[in-house]
């Protein structure tokens, strides 16, 4: 082992290098290591196991399997903890903590002696946090996702988190099912540990990690509790040792070309809108600026081929059985940047030469029978969103995609919670619901409150969808004609803050536009008169750092001081 690798790298500064190494070895020998073990290259394994994170409930087994792969290849595996974030156990929202996890990931990789690192993550924000942190840390890194949970069953039907969680809750709100049934289904929705089994954010980011080249081929879809998942872990550990020898860092893998491939895949799988902010943040760490128009162009060229909930029917285990992501990428290979390098050391084009066709053309469609002819995410502009907004077109109602309606405005989440279920609320099915102040600064943390519920009195009358607009995000497992990520957000003076109940708003998916139908003068006057928003509880600590430093949606909500030096150009690349 050379001077600056393995246990000898990154020595603690005592002013005496020899003593620093002597002391380090003395302490770790207390755990029973031999000199022979300590002389090997070191592969760090990030342990995100947490009792509060059932999506990571298999991490201990994964660490065992990764360690086996590392040792088979002649290196020393050392696991270490970082922050772990679960969607339902993070207050105010997991997104608020993503940057904190990325800082933890970056600094603990940098602070501790390792020649490569395996990033074990899975639940929504963890994979982007790890890729952001590892990209900034600059040592060879490879992603291993925990994998999706098994689907569950309720009264003879297959169900899974969390699209069905929302569907059953919607039925309960509409009095279509009773208290007994909602309690019964609560025990049936999550079949095992692992990440949500629909094409939500976790599944999308697992596919992004594979498509961008940061994870092994075929690694995105294997369920958490399967032998396939453990074998992938072993292979990931073995490959991490080679990465250490080759010095293949993420900046060589995550390029404008591979970011382009990732966006192609997000469209083709009907992926979560959250991928846009996460990819913006990952790209930003490496100096790339997001090109929203290119994302839209790519969407118009890329069909949706994967038939999973929330846009379609199946679950992640169906996707895995049908051939997983390589079968999708093979089908759209003519659209991909074939020369993009992956962590295997080969290009995506080379990897796809061996990829098999889909085994199940109902789940992974062919180009001549897509789920939708064009991609799942549209980028909107207009006087309501000068810096862009997002609509998950694959989950939107066709009849509402071209719609003009009266605005019914809620000033913030609290206002909405207090009034949306009131029988006195003046709202009709063809109105457009606007929710302000749930953006990056406004909430803070841009919660997934953009999935605004249908007002109870309309839900009871059978209304299933309405146009809804906010500066927040939406869970990847949700669905509806929902305009999200409106930028700039209302809390920093964006035009959304100027909307009043009774205004008329026009949405056109065809024209990619979202317009508040008032004059420019009136809009300017209202914005001048707007009362500045003050985020609650942001006087000190991490919340203050967050509110002071967070960027808007198009920059991925990263902190300004964490972004890389820009200048690598824009991504993705439109053909
Ligand atoms: Fe963890 Fe859905 S809650 S992936």
């Amino acid at each position: 082992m050379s001077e600056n690798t393995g246990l000898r790298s990154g020595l603690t500064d005592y002013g005496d290098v020899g003593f620093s190494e002597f002391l380090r070895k003395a302490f770790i020998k207390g755990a029973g290591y031999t000199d022979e073990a300590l002389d090997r290259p070191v592969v760090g394994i990030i342990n995100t196991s947490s009792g509060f994170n059932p999506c990571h409930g298999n991490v201990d087994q994964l660490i065992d399997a990764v360690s086996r792969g590392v040792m088979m290849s002649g290196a020393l595996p050392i696991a270490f903890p970082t922050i772990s974030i679960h969607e339902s156990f993070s207050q105010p929202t997991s997104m608020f903590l993503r940057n904190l996890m990325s800082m933890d990931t970056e600094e603990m990789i940098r602070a501790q002696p390792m020649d490569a690192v395996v990033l074990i993550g899975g639940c929504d924000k963890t994979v982007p946090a790890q890729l952001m942190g590892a990209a900034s840390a600059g040592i060879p890194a490879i992603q291993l996702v925990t994998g999706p949970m098994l689907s569950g069953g309720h009264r003879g039907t297959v169900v899974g988190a969390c699209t069905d969680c929302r569907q059953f809750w919607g039925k309960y709100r509409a009095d279509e099912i009773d208290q007994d049934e909602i309690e019964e289904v609560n025990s049936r929705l999550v079949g095992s540990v692992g990440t949500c089994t629909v094409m939500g954010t976790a599944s999308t980011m697992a596919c992004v990690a594979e498509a961008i080249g940061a994870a092994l081929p075929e690694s995105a879809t294997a369920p958490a509790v399967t032998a396939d998942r453990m074998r992938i872990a072993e292979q990931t550990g073995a490959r991490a040792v080679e990465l250490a020898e080759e010095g293949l860092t993420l900046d060589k893998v995550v390029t404008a070309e591979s970011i382009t491939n990732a966006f192609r895949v997000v469209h083709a799988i009907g992926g979560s809108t959250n991928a846009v902010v996460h990819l913006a943040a990952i790209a930003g760490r490496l100096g790339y600026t997001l090109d929203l128009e290119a994302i839209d162009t790519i969407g118009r060229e890329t069909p949706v081929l994967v038939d999973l909930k929330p846009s379609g029917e199946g679950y992640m285990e169906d996707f895995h059985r049908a051939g997983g992501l390589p079968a999708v990428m093979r089908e759209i290979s003519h659209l991909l940047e074939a020369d993009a390098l992956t962590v295997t050391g080969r290009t995506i084009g080379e990897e796809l030469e061996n990829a098999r066709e889909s085994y199940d053309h109902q789940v992974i469609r062919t180009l001549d029978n897509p789920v939708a002819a064009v991609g799942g995410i549209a980028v909107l502009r207009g006087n309501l969103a000068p810096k862009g907004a997002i609509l998950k077109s694959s989950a939107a109602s066709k009849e509402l995609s071209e719609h003009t309606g009266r605005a019914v405005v809620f000033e913030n989440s609290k206002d909405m919670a207090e009034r949306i279920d009131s029988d006195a609320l003046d709202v009709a099915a063809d109105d457009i619901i606007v929710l302000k102040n749930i953006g990056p600064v406004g909430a803070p943390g841009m919660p997934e409150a953009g999935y605004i519920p249908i007002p109870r009195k309309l839900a009871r009358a059978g209304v299933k969808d309405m146009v809804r607009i906010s500066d927040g995000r939406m869970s990847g497992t949700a669905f509806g004609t929902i305009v999200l990520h409106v930028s700039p957000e209302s809390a920093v003076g964006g035009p959304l803050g100027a909307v009043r109940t009774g205004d008329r708003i026009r949405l056109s998916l065809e024209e990619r536009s979202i317009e508040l139908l008032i004059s420019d003068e009136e809009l300017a006057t209202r914005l001048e008169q707007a009362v500045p928003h003050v985020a609650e509880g942001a006087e000190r600590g991490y919340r203050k750092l967050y509110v002071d430093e967070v960027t808007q949606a198009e920059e991925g909500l990263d902190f300004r001081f964490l972004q890389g030096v820009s200048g690598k150009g824009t991504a993705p690349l439109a053909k």
Side-chain angles (χ1 to χ4, degrees):
M1 191 171 70
S2 74
E3 289 251 308
N4 294 317
T5 59
L7 258 289
R8 295 190 188 102
S9 64
L11 288 169
T12 310
D13 191 359
Y14 292 117
D16 177 342
V17 170
F19 178 68
S20 297
E21 188 184 331
F22 173 78
L23 203 62
R24 174 174 286 175
K25 283 182 77 174
F27 277 114
I28 200 163
K29 280 182 175 177
Y33 287 93
T34 60
D35 282 312
E36 192 198 353
L38 297 177
D39 208 29
R40 295 180 177 210
V42 174
V43 173
I45 306 169
I46 294 190
N47 180 355
T48 50
S49 175
S50 162
F52 288 113
N53 194 347
C55 298
H56 292 199
N58 60 344
V59 167
D60 289 346
Q61 290 165 283
L62 289 175
I63 290 173
D64 286 347
V66 171
S67 299
R68 189 165 65 239
V70 170
M71 286 192 281
M72 280 163 47
S73 300
L76 176 67
I78 300 185
F80 64 99
T82 69
I83 293 170
S84 187
I85 307 170
H86 184 277
E87 286 302 290
S88 297
F89 290 90
S90 303
Q91 205 279 334
T93 163
S94 60
M95 191 65 181
F96 178 68
L97 298 168
R98 185 203 63 183
N99 294 351
L100 187 64
M101 182 173 176
S102 83
M103 290 164 73
D104 184 6
T105 302
E106 174 182 348
E107 296 305 330
M108 294 317 287
I109 290 173
R110 189 176 283 132
Q112 300 173 129
M114 64 194 82
D115 302 299
V117 62
V118 177
L119 315 163
I120 303 182
C123 195
D124 293 18
K125 307 305 175 292
T126 60
V127 170
Q130 292 183 325
L131 290 174
M132 290 160 70
S136 298
I139 72 160
I142 184 167
Q143 184 78 55
L144 172 65
V145 297
T146 55
M149 63 180 68
L150 299 180
S151 55
H154 173 63
R155 299 188 181 179
T157 59
V158 180
V159 294
C162 224
T163 302
D164 296 321
C165 313
R166 295 173 199 285
Q167 254 156 2
F168 277 96
W169 192 252
K171 285 183 184 176
Y172 174 64
R173 279 175 58 81
D175 290 338
E176 289 172 24
I177 63 173
D178 60 18
Q179 187 70 27
D180 285 347
E181 186 168 357
I182 195 71
E183 283 173 17
E184 183 186 331
V185 77
N186 190 250
S187 304
R188 302 280 175 267
L189 288 161
V190 177
S192 72
V193 296
T195 52
C196 287
T197 182
V198 297
M199 189 48 78
T201 304
S203 303
T204 301
M205 292 312 296
C207 291
V208 161
E210 184 175 327
I212 213 167
L216 291 181
E218 301 185 39
S219 68
T221 53
V225 295
T226 57
D228 278 355
R229 175 57 53 201
M230 297 307 143
R231 269 189 289 275
I232 290 162
E234 184 185 298
Q235 290 160 350
T236 300
R239 180 59 195 149
V241 180
E242 295 169 354
L243 285 177
E245 284 163 17
E246 295 163 12
L248 184 56
T249 45
L250 275 184
D251 60 321
K252 299 181 186 111
V253 170
V254 179
T255 60
E257 286 74 18
S258 69
I259 294 167
T260 307
N261 289 340
F263 274 109
R264 290 260 178 221
V265 160
V266 170
H267 286 296
I269 61 179
S272 164
T273 48
N274 284 322
V276 178
V277 287
H278 295 319
L279 274 165
I282 294 164
R285 289 297 179 99
L286 295 168
Y288 298 97
T289 305
L290 200 69
D291 182 344
L292 281 173
E293 270 59 42
I295 297 170
D296 193 88
T297 303
I298 286 171
R300 290 172 190 256
E301 297 165 349
T302 312
V304 181
L305 297 180
V306 178
D307 192 0
L308 295 198
K309 291 187 175 190
S311 303
E313 289 304 318
Y315 296 92
M316 282 298 280
E317 58 206 63
D318 303 316
F319 187 17
H320 185 60
R321 269 193 294 270
L325 192 63
V328 180
M329 294 183 77
R330 180 187 193 270
E331 196 66 21
I332 59 165
S333 58
H334 59 293
L335 295 171
L336 296 174
E337 302 287 338
D339 293 336
L341 189 63
T342 77
V343 281
T344 63
R346 296 181 292 274
T347 66
I348 204 82
E350 288 169 333
E351 290 299 340
L352 290 177
E353 277 170 19
N354 299 322
R356 279 187 289 249
E357 201 184 326
S358 160
Y359 298 116
D360 183 340
H361 288 163
Q362 192 55 41
V363 177
I364 303 175
R365 305 289 185 84
T366 50
L367 287 174
D368 54 9
N369 181 32
V371 177
V374 295
I377 298 174
V379 176
L380 310 175
R381 299 263 187 188
N383 69 351
L384 251 189
K387 293 207 168 168
I390 298 288
L391 174 70
K392 186 167 183 177
S393 48
S394 62
S397 305
K398 248 200 171 80
E399 62 279 11
L400 289 174
S401 298
E402 306 295 321
H403 183 73
T404 302
R406 183 188 73 125
V408 174
V409 176
F410 297 99
E411 292 300 320
N412 49 49
S413 297
K414 187 164 170 275
D415 179 32
M416 186 186 77
E418 283 169 2
R419 294 194 293 127
I420 195 146
D421 285 343
S422 165
D423 286 339
L425 182 70
D426 178 15
V427 65
D430 60 353
D431 287 340
I432 293 178
I433 299 181
V434 173
L435 175 56
K436 303 177 184 175
N437 288 313
I438 60 164
V441 173
M446 203 180 180
E448 291 182 339
Y451 182 61
I452 301 164
I454 303 292
R456 193 186 288 266
K457 71 179 189 184
L458 296 179
R460 283 182 174 147
V463 176
K464 299 279 186 235
D465 193 12
M466 295 174 72
V467 176
R468 288 157 274 177
I469 303 173
S470 76
D471 44 17
R473 295 177 301 114
M474 171 172 92
S475 163
T477 62
F479 45 88
T481 312
I482 300 178
V483 178
L484 303 156
H485 306 190
V486 169
S487 180
E489 63 172 306
S490 46
V492 299
L496 192 70
V499 185
R500 294 175 184 167
T501 293
D503 288 343
R504 295 193 69 74
I505 293 174
R506 178 169 177 268
L507 164 68
S508 172
L509 177 60
E510 182 63 34
E511 295 171 17
R512 299 294 199 264
S513 72
I514 183 77
E515 296 282 349
L516 177 62
L517 302 179
I518 62 173
S519 69
D520 293 347
E521 294 73 30
E522 172 67 11
L523 180 56
T525 306
R526 288 191 195 179
L527 287 173
E528 270 168 30
Q529 293 168 351
V531 181
H533 173 85
V534 181
E536 280 179 27
E539 297 80 24
R540 61 165 295 282
Y542 180 69
R543 188 175 276 244
K544 174 164 172 50
L545 179 75
Y546 194 94
V547 167
D548 288 350
E549 294 293 339
V550 72
T551 57
Q552 293 290 290
E554 67 277 9
E555 292 187 61
L557 278 72
D558 203 1
F559 292 153
R560 289 180 192 89
F561 64 87
L562 292 175
Q563 292 176 314
V565 179
S566 61
K568 289 229 184 107
T570 60
L573 306 167
K575 277 201 191 290

